[in-house]
């Protein structure tokens, strides 16, 4: 059992989310940074999609009722066990009754704290990911708070410290031009690539609202509702784009000017309000190759770390 | 009919048909989705209004194979002759449950009773679910009842609200922010994550509204 003594307000239990329920209006959801979740789980010998704590813009303090291994990926935090600072990026051992604390984030925004055996809350509709808007999954469909107790899966027989440095990245996001890209006027098409976009404070697990010095103009009006996926860059009437994130609604009607390449969607989780980003055009073949590369990289990591399934 | 095929993402192929949405085209899309469901590697078939998005696990169903399969399925899909199921919903129109009803009736040049009779007298069909878990987009709203969306969306629309946005009418299954005009509320729970399926309405269902007296 994990006992939360303190936790940042918008933190939730997340896994890799639900697949195949979009036709019911239920989105995929899951960790904002699925890449970080999978790296953390690989470090602990967990299944790739084992449930973990997703921290949003703040840390936590917790105690565990059994000896446990923890791995932190995604946003950077200072980790302490009983007050002693731990080296970054390494999995670490916490004995029953000891206190683990995370302070930060010093870099990035969403962190993933995984534990060996994973968080063993009952799955709802096939996953443990919390859906705040639907009020289901995770712990009673809500954000975590002090006093919560989270059940754990079986402990893993891990030996020694292993670590994994975070991926190097830049805030340049590869974008597939969307169905309404050509409906942007010529100036707007150029601006989309050239302009730097600021992440505004109105950003959360549903989407990031961007702001650019110059708004974009699109000739396409409201469209008939159509499936929309995380990473979709929509253009509402004001001309300032919204990038859909993990918990976005499943259908939308705003012009679709682009779609982030799937292999870079995790970057959304590590941009902070106030950060600036740029879009770079990418084609379908390149985006598919980059996705396959990332999947291969994760499989390689699991076999290098000796994960049971690898 | 003009059809457009577009890869929305690496592994999501979308077929869209020209507006305005009509019931037979929508039924043909739903038939296509039903025909394709169960194909190994097909992750989801997500109908929208006059469009269908197919998501694939590329390791099991390569994108080119999905596209060939989908184009063939569209050519052969025929609209169902009947709706899936008949669903009746009791609705309390107006009052606290439908705060925009009087304004809607005014814009349509009707008194409230006539507006309610027209809304409840029409037969609707669930075109698709989206926006929220279990949110049903219904086709069949009489033209005279169409309403503009609200200039500023409400932060909290109660679960069960019956609403009109543009040419569509829909039902909010859970509490949510929303920009549609609220004309009433039904007490039937529309979404429950513990049930299988979790949604009370499914694409292809026919829906009738029955006015209910206020308690």
């Amino acid at each position: 059992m994990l006992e939360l003594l303190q936790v940042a307000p918008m933190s939730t239990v997340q896994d890799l989310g639900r697949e195949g329920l979009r036709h019911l209006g239920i989105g995929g959801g899951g960790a904002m940074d699925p890449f970080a979740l999978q790296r953390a789980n690989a470090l602990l010998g967990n299944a790739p999609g084992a449930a973990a704590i997703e921290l949003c813009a703040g840390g936590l303090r917790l105690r565990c009722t059994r000896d446990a291994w923890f791995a932190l990926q995604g946003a950077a935090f200072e980790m302490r066990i009983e007050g002693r600072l731990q080296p970054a990026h390494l999995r670490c051992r916490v004995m029953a009754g000891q206190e683990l604390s995370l302070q930060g984030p010093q870099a990035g925004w969403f962190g993933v704290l995984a534990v060996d055996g994973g968080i063993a809350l009952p799955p709802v509709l096939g996953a443990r990911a919390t859906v705040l808007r639907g009020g289901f999954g995770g712990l009673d469909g809500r954000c975590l708070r002090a006093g919560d107790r989270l059940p754990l899966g079986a402990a893993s027989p891990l030996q020694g410290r292993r670590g994994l440095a975070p991926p190097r990245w830049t805030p340049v996001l590869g974008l597939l031009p969307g169905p309404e890209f050509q409906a942007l006027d010529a100036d707007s098409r150029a601006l989309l690539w050239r302009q730097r976009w600021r992440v505004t404070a109105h950003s959360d697990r549903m989407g990031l609202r961007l702001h650019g010095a110059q708004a974009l103009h699109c000739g396409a009006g409201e469209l008939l509702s159509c499936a929309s996926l995380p990473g979709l860059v929509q253009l509402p009437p004001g001309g300032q784009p919204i990038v859909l994130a993990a918990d976005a609604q499943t259908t939308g009607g705003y012009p679709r000017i682009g779609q982030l390449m799937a292999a870079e969607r995790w970057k959304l989780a590590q941009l902070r309000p106030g950060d600036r980003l740029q879009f770079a055009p990418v084609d379908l073949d390149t985006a598919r190759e980059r996705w396959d590369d990332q999947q291969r990289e994760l499989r390689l990591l699991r076999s290098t770390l000796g994960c049971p399934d690898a | 009919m003009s059809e457009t095929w577009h890869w929305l993402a690496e592994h999501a192929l979308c077929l869209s048909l020209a507006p305005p949405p009509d019931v037979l085209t929508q039924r043909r899309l739903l038939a296509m989705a039903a025909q394709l469901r169960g194909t190994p590697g097909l992750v989801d078939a997500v109908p929208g209004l006059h469009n269908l998005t197919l998501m694939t696990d590329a390791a099991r169903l390569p994108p080119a194979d999905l596209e060939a399969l989908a184009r063939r399925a569209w050519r052969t899909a025929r609209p169902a002759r009947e709706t899936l199921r008949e669903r009746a919903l009791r609705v309390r129109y107006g009052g606290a449950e439908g705060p925009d009803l009087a304004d809607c009736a005014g814009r349509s040049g009707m008194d409230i009773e006539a507006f309610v009779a027209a809304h409840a007298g029409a037969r609707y069909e669930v075109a698709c679910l989206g926006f929220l878990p279990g949110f049903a987009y219904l086709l069949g709203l009489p033209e005279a009842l169409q309403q503009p969306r609200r200039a500023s969306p409400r932060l909290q629309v109660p679960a069960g609200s019956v609403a009109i946005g543009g040419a569509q009418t829909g039902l909010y299954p859970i509490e949510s922010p929303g920009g549609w005009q609220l004309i009433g509320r039904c007490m039937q729970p529309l979404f429950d994550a513990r049930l299988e399926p979790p949604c009370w309405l499914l694409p292809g269902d026919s829906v009738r509204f029955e006015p209910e007296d206020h308690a």
Side-chain angles (χ1 to χ4, degrees), chain B residues 151-210:
Chain B
S152 59
R154 283 190 173 85
L155 293 177
Q156 285 190 338
V157 172
S161 292
V162 180
I164 297 177
Q168 296 162 44
T169 193
L171 296 150
Y172 285 85
I174 55 179
E175 186 184 285
S176 143
W180 289 16
Q181 309 282 350
L182 308 184
I183 60 168
R185 200 181 307 165
C186 66
M187 294 302 143
Q188 167 67 43
L190 298 167
F191 179 79
D192 186 337
R194 296 163 301 182
L195 301 181
E196 173 54 45
C199 307
W200 195 70
L201 292 172
L202 292 174
D205 282 346
S206 95
V207 179
R208 269 181 319 111
F209 295 116
E210 295 169 352

Side-chain angles (χ1 to χ4, degrees), chain B residues 111-137:
Chain B
D111 60 33
I112 288 177
E113 289 70 25
F115 190 93
V116 168
H119 190 265
R123 282 179 70 88
Y124 302 89
E125 230 172 278
V126 180
C128 60
L129 304 177
F131 172 47
L132 296 170
F135 183 98
Y137 288 90

Side-chain angles (χ1 to χ4, degrees), chain A residues 13-16 37 41 46-54 112-115 117-121 127-129 152:
Chain A
V13 171
Q14 295 295 342
D15 59 12
L16 288 177
L37 178 78
N41 279 328
N46 288 344
I53 296 176
E54 178 181 271
V112 172
L113 181 68
V115 55
I119 294 172
L121 287 164
R128 298 184 168 91
L152 297 181

Side-chain angles (χ1 to χ4, degrees), chain A residues 19-26 125 133-134 136 179 222 224-227 229 249-251 259 261-262 284 287-288 291, chain B residues 6-8 10-12 43-46 48-49 51 53 55 63 129-134 137 149 174 191 193 199 202:
Chain A
E19 251 184 12
L21 299 176
R22 295 187 160 270
H23 64 283
L24 299 176
I26 302 165
L125 293 171
R133 210 154 60 131
F136 63 88
E222 184 113 347
L224 293 176
S225 292
C226 181
L229 298 168
Q249 58 187 63
T250 56
T251 56
Q259 176 77 33
M261 56 190 279
L284 208 45
R288 284 178 179 149
W291 175 255
Chain B
H6 199 108
W7 283 94
L8 296 180
E10 288 88 337
H11 305 123
V43 175
D44 209 343
V46 191
L49 276 176
N51 54 64
T53 300
M55 299 174 62
L129 304 177
F131 172 47
L132 296 170
Y137 288 90
R149 288 173 176 76
I174 55 179
F191 179 79
C199 307
L202 292 174

Side-chain angles (χ1 to χ4, degrees), chain A residues 235-298:
Chain A
L235 194 69
Q240 300 287 356
I242 298 175
V243 192
L244 300 187
D247 276 347
Q249 58 187 63
T250 56
T251 56
Y254 290 137
R256 301 155 292 179
I257 58 177
Q259 176 77 33
L260 289 188
M261 56 190 279
E264 294 195 334
R265 186 161 63 75
W266 64 271
K267 290 182 177 181
L268 292 177
Q270 302 311 338
L271 289 161
R272 298 173 165 224
D275 279 357
R276 278 159 214 278
L277 63 86
Q278 261 187 303
F279 293 117
V282 65
D283 62 59
L284 208 45
D285 287 340
T286 310
R288 284 178 179 149
E289 280 167 25
R290 290 282 309 278
W291 175 255
D292 292 344
D293 290 345
Q294 196 178 71
Q295 297 308 303
R296 213 171 300 124
E297 189 185 328
L298 285 166

Side-chain angles (χ1 to χ4, degrees), chain B:
Chain B
M1 177 179 313
S2 96
E3 58 182 72
T4 315
W5 296 84
H6 199 108
W7 283 94
L8 296 180
E10 288 88 337
H11 305 123
L13 175 67
C14 179
L15 163 63
S16 2
L17 305 157
D22 72 87
V23 165
L24 285 183
T25 305
Q26 190 68 25
R27 283 189 189 175
R28 186 173 162 197
L29 283 169
L30 296 181
M32 172 180 171
Q35 188 183 322
L36 288 173
R37 241 173 232 131
T39 304
L42 185 76
V43 175
D44 209 343
V46 191
L49 276 176
H50 253 213
N51 54 64
L52 178 69
T53 300
L54 303 167
M55 299 174 62
T56 181
D57 171 357
R60 291 193 292 154
L61 179 58
D65 294 1
L66 172 68
E67 184 158 347
L69 201 65
R71 286 179 182 267
R72 201 159 52 234
W74 173 242
R75 277 198 305 275
T76 56
R78 292 291 166 263
R81 292 227 183 88
E82 307 281 333
T83 51
L84 186 64
R85 305 172 300 183
E86 304 266 328
R87 291 295 214 187
L89 280 165
R90 295 172 68 78
V91 176
R92 288 181 188 170
Y93 284 96
E97 285 89 354
D100 300 327
L101 178 63
D103 289 346
C104 289
R107 271 190 296 268
S108 294
M110 299 179 186
D111 60 33
I112 288 177
E113 289 70 25
F115 190 93
V116 168
H119 190 265
R123 282 179 70 88
Y124 302 89
E125 230 172 278
V126 180
C128 60
L129 304 177
F131 172 47
L132 296 170
F135 183 98
Y137 288 90
L138 303 179
L139 290 176
L141 182 72
E143 213 175 316
L145 307 189
Q146 296 187 4
Q147 300 292 327
R149 288 173 176 76
R150 290 173 56 86
S152 59
R154 283 190 173 85
L155 293 177
Q156 285 190 338
V157 172
S161 292
V162 180
I164 297 177
Q168 296 162 44
T169 193
L171 296 150
Y172 285 85
I174 55 179
E175 186 184 285
S176 143
W180 289 16
Q181 309 282 350
L182 308 184
I183 60 168
R185 200 181 307 165
C186 66
M187 294 302 143
Q188 167 67 43
L190 298 167
F191 179 79
D192 186 337
R194 296 163 301 182
L195 301 181
E196 173 54 45
C199 307
W200 195 70
L201 292 172
L202 292 174
D205 282 346
S206 95
V207 179
R208 269 181 319 111
F209 295 116
E210 295 169 352
E212 182 181 53
D213 289 338
H214 289 255

